[in-house]
Every structure is written in C-alpha cells, then in structure tokens.
Amino acid sequence: MRTLLVLGAGTAGTMIANKLRRRLDDHEWQIVVIDQDDQHRYQPGYLFIPFGSYSRDDVVRARHDCLVDGVELVVGEVDRVDVKADRVRLQDGRELGYDYLVIASGTTPRPDQTPGMLGPEWRRSIFDFYTLEGAEALAEALSEFDHGRLVVHITEMPIKCPVAPLEFIFLAESWLREKGLRDRVELVFVTPMDGAFTQPIASAQLGSMLDERKIHVESDFMVERVDDVQKMLVSYDERQVPFDLLVTVPLNMGADFVARSGLGDELNYVPVDKHTLLSVEHDTIFAVGDANDIPASKAGSVAHFAVEIFVDNFLEQIAGRPMTGSFDGHANCFVESGDKKALLIDFNYDTEPLPGKYPLPYVGPMSLLKETRANHLGKLAFRYVYWNVLLPGRPVPLPAHMSMAGKQSPKEA
Ligand SMILES: Cc1cc2nc3c(=O)[nH]c(=O)nc-3n(C[C@H](O)[C@H](O)[C@H](O)COP(=O)(O)OP(=O)(O)OC[C@H]3O[C@@H](n4cnc5c(N)ncnc54)[C@H](O)[C@@H]3O)c2cc1C
C-alpha cells in the first residue's frame, strides 16, 4: 500500500483528495488528509458577512462531509515535515509516513507581524474580514458606525484574493448610500501598490471606479506600524493615515510548519515549478493552492484550475512517466462593485485581464472587465457551485487553461 498525504483540507486539498480517490486504486493507494480542525470554511463568503447578507451557517460545513468515502481525515495540527524520513509529525506527537506529499496549507492573515495591529484596538476599531471571526466582529462594528473615516488597507502583497479589499470598499460605499450615511463617511483605500490592482488595464478601470465613488486612494503606502492611541496608520516614509474604523488585510503568510521544515521562502511559501507545482527541491513533494510561490493570484479559482492539471500530472509521475500538463497561472475572479453588480476578470501568467465575454466567447453570459448584474448573480451562484461541484471534485465544463477566444486585445479594447 502506498500513501498520498495531503496537508490541509481546504479548497485545494479537498479537491485533490476527492479527485484522486476516484482515479487511484484503493487496494494500492491510501489517501490521508490532515487538517487542524473539522470545519471547512467557504472564504469568499466572508465578504458578505460584515454587511449582514451572509452568516456563519452560509460559509461553514463539516470537513469530513466534504471528503468522499475512502479518504481518511486526520484532525491535528502539523508540526513539521521530516523530508529525509518521508514523515510528518503533528503537534500532539502523532507521526504519519508518506510516499507522496501534497502541501495545501494555504495562507493565513498575520496581524501579529505589524506593530500595533494586534493591540487593544484590535476588534474595537481595527478589524479584518479575512477570518470568519473577524468578519463577524466587523458586522457588529459596522451596524453601529454612522460617521467618520472608514479606511480599508492592504498591508503587503501577495494576499489571497487580491480584489477582495476593493470589493469590500465598493460594497461599503453602496451600503452607506443605501443607509443614507454616505455624506457622513469619508472612504479611504490604502495600498502598497501604485494603483488599485496589480495589472495595468484592470488597475485603470478599477481606479476610475474608485474615483467615481469619491473614494480617496493612498497608494505606495508601506505600513510600518499602527498607532493605536492616535488611531492612524504610519508608513516607513512617515506618512500618516488617520482612521475611525480600520478594515485591514494583515500580512498573509504560509504555514509556520513550512518554515520549521526548511521548505519555505521568507513568507513560508513553498518554491515549486510554476507549471507542474512540484517542489524545486524534492521530487515526492508538491505544493498546490495558496501554499506555493507561483506568480499567480492566490485564489480559489487558481487552486481549482491548478488541481485539474496537477491530478493528471500526478498520475503520470507515479507511473514513472514525464509530467505532460503545464499550468498557465489561469485565474478568474468576480469583483463585486455594489448596487447588485460585479465585474469579472480572467487572466494568467502571461495575459493581463482584458475585456470580452466569458465563458462562451462573444456570448457570455458574463462580461469581462464590465459591471453587470449577470456577473453579480454569477458570484452569488458560485457558493452553490463551490459546495456541490468544485469541492466534491465533479467535472466543471470550463477549460483549465485560459482562452483568448472572445477577448479584445489592448489595441481593440
Ligand atoms: C475574504 C476572502 C474572499 C475571497 N474571495 C475569493 C473569490 O471571490 N474567488 C476566489 O477564487 N478566491 C477567493 N478567496 C481566496 C480563496 O478562499 C483561497 O485562495 C483558497 O481557499 C485557497 O485554497 P487553499 O486550499 O490553498 O487554502 P485554504 O482553503 O485556506 O486551506 C488551507 C487549509 O490548511 C489548513 N492548515 C493550515 N495550516 C495547518 C497546519 N499547521 N496543520 C493542519 N492544517 C493546517 C487550514 O486549516 C485550511 O483548512 C477569498 C479569500 C478570502 C479570505
């Protein structure tokens, strides 16, 4: 019996285990997944919790119910990987061996990494919505907030779902308007980037949407500390941004066990080949999803497209054949823009988000880089697709590789 051990039963780990269980002979392979708890959380849903449209019940399910029969779930926190012995040790002392290891432990917000962030104002006037507990606490704070400066802040890139802070501020703007409070609230978007987003065409479009909504942008802001007495963000070049309510996205980092095992870069991400997701140092270790260092967005959609390529490659690898699949960094993300509308962006390692239609070229029904109601409905429908199609590892009629069909090149656009 050979063992495939998967560290992390989140988006990527669950899809991998479920897909491979159907493809690997259960007399030859056991599949074991380790996670620190038994609660699978649908993280894209956190965005809607502060505004009261989703609650905990909409985003949490038991992990073991998300895994198909024949996949074993071990609940425990990974302490380290011993790459020489092909073994994984848990914090409680248990040890598990493996023939192949997949690291799918994602990335986690780390407010402890910025001085002053986790001080007495944490969850009083300083909030995050990248955790369920943070999103719930923010819902309560927002329900009492009726005037002042609301600052939305990104500490450092990369973060998972890099459009989520923009979505948050667009939703906040429309929510304040609905409540008749928009005139009483100053909205500020603080980012370490030089614009609204990482890629030029999308950045220009999203930037002009911020302007139209009278949201002030403080760009190139590298935060040094949070002054929780004077309630302001302070940058390394000594700029100050005061706030009454701060919604921050703390530094995102890979799991600490990755560092303890000598497997990570400075942010605990596992260096891999960007096309096969195989560790650059160990030929029995893959890292899939947010846990790796590929130059793509950290997003569930990237995890999904990457898993499609990984599964076929893995079967070739264990059969002793060369891996023929090549992941192209494909990402697609809905961007909620308020007033029941959203944009959609579709891109990969080489091509930035462009206008056009998706998934059917020229037909849609979704429109790329354009605010539409169909895109918003697509975002809402995605929760159903996540629980019922993606996580169980059912086939999705979308190509894993990005397509240029129906997209307008920058000259045409
Ligand atoms: C607010 C928000 C909105 C988002 N919106 C979108 C969106 O609209 N579209 C999109 O595509 N993506 C979105 N994402 C990103 C998406 O949720 C992640 O990119 C995706 O979940 C990554 O999958 P993963 O399997 O790599 O990591 P995760 O799903 O985070 O899973 C990692 C797992 O590893 C486990 N783990 C970590 N360390 C240990 C340890 N030491 N021991 C045991 N287990 C461990 C964790 O418990 C977790 O279950 C959003 C994220 C957030 C926070």
Side-chain angles (χ1 to χ4, degrees), residues 67-87:
L67 293 162
V68 299
D69 286 351
V71 173
E72 187 190 341
L73 172 66
V74 172
V75 177
E77 193 177 339
V78 175
D79 177 36
R80 72 181 64 220
V81 181
D82 180 345
V83 290
K84 290 206 180 100
D86 294 340
R87 295 187 75 74

Side-chain angles (χ1 to χ4, degrees), residues 173-382:
E173 196 274 339
S174 108
W175 184 81
L176 288 165
R177 247 187 300 116
E178 249 172 57
K179 298 207 143 227
L181 295 172
R182 182 63 186 95
D183 293 345
R184 293 163 56 89
V185 177
E186 211 180 324
L187 285 169
V188 184
F189 185 70
V190 182
T191 169
M193 295 182 275
D194 59 5
F197 192 56
T198 46
Q199 319 243 16
I201 295 177
S203 188
Q205 160 116 20
L206 293 162
S208 67
M209 287 167 58
L210 290 166
D211 283 351
E212 280 161 22
R213 289 160 173 77
K214 300 199 171 26
I215 298 170
H216 174 70
V217 179
E218 197 71 40
S219 55
D220 299 308
F221 191 96
M222 296 302 302
V223 69
E224 191 233 316
R225 66 194 163 91
V226 182
D227 181 335
D228 59 1
V229 177
Q230 302 210 57
K231 289 199 186 172
M232 56 169 71
L233 293 164
V234 183
S235 67
Y236 282 99
D237 57 2
E238 288 172 18
R239 282 146 70 197
Q240 299 175 339
V241 176
F243 60 83
D244 293 299
L245 186 64
L246 176 65
V247 178
T248 185
V249 180
L251 181 71
N252 280 200
M253 287 177 74
D256 285 338
F257 79 80
V258 171
R260 283 197 292 272
S261 313
L263 285 168
D265 63 13
E266 69 283 1
L267 285 173
N268 302 349
Y269 297 127
V270 183
V272 295
D273 177 289
K274 69 177 188 175
H275 297 298
T276 63
L277 315 177
L278 182 64
S279 154
V280 294
E281 284 183 24
H282 304 279
D283 62 6
T284 55
I285 301 181
F286 291 84
V288 187
D290 294 349
N292 65 31
D293 75 337
I294 61 173
S297 280
K298 295 198 178 297
S301 62
V302 174
H304 161 231
F305 296 130
V307 165
E308 300 277 327
I309 306 289
F310 161 78
V311 164
D312 289 336
N313 274 349
F314 182 75
L315 295 171
E316 290 172 334
Q317 170 89 347
I318 60 173
R321 295 196 303 269
M323 291 186 277
T324 53
S326 177
F327 181 53
D328 66 351
H330 188 190
N332 62 33
C333 306
F334 292 105
V335 188
E336 281 289 297
S337 57
D339 301 319
K340 298 191 170 40
K341 288 186 182 166
L343 292 83
L344 178 64
I345 52 178
D346 188 57
F347 55 109
N348 70 8
Y349 290 139
D350 303 317
T351 306
E352 66 175 310
L354 296 172
K357 292 283 183 185
Y358 188 87
L360 297 175
Y362 312 106
V363 176
M366 259 78 87
S367 305
L368 297 170
L369 268 182
K370 203 168 156 192
E371 284 181 79
T372 69
R373 185 149 165 77
N375 290 343
H376 167 71
L377 294 175
K379 172 106 179 178
L380 296 186
F382 190 72

Side-chain angles (χ1 to χ4, degrees), residues 50-113:
F51 304 103
S53 33
Y54 279 12
S55 69
R56 180 173 279 254
D57 288 348
D58 295 310
V59 300
V60 179
R61 289 196 183 175
R63 275 191 211 286
H64 64 264
D65 287 341
C66 300
L67 293 162
V68 299
D69 286 351
V71 173
E72 187 190 341
L73 172 66
V74 172
V75 177
E77 193 177 339
V78 175
D79 177 36
R80 72 181 64 220
V81 181
D82 180 345
V83 290
K84 290 206 180 100
D86 294 340
R87 295 187 75 74
V88 169
R89 195 167 75 214
L90 305 188
Q91 295 281 7
D92 60 13
R94 281 178 288 172
E95 286 200 14
L96 292 95
Y98 62 83
D99 294 281
Y100 278 92
L101 185 71
V102 176
I103 299 175
S105 40
T107 184
T108 310
R110 295 288 298 266
D112 57 305
Q113 299 289 311

Side-chain angles (χ1 to χ4, degrees), residues 96-170:
L96 292 95
Y98 62 83
D99 294 281
Y100 278 92
L101 185 71
V102 176
I103 299 175
S105 40
T107 184
T108 310
R110 295 288 298 266
D112 57 305
Q113 299 289 311
T114 303
M117 203 177 264
L118 262 190
E121 285 302 310
W122 182 248
R123 306 235 163 118
R124 290 166 76 103
S125 61
I126 305 176
F127 293 86
D128 79 309
F129 67 99
Y130 267 47
T131 58
L132 178 52
E133 294 69 23
E136 288 180 327
L138 179 55
E140 228 178 292
L142 269 184
S143 69
E144 287 162 14
F145 183 75
D146 60 4
H147 71 283
R149 266 171 81 88
L150 169 51
V151 174
V152 178
H153 166 243
I154 302 172
T155 301
E156 202 175 312
M157 299 301 287
I159 55 170
K160 53 185 151 185
C161 197
V163 293
L166 281 169
E167 295 183 277
F168 182 87
I169 207 160
F170 288 143

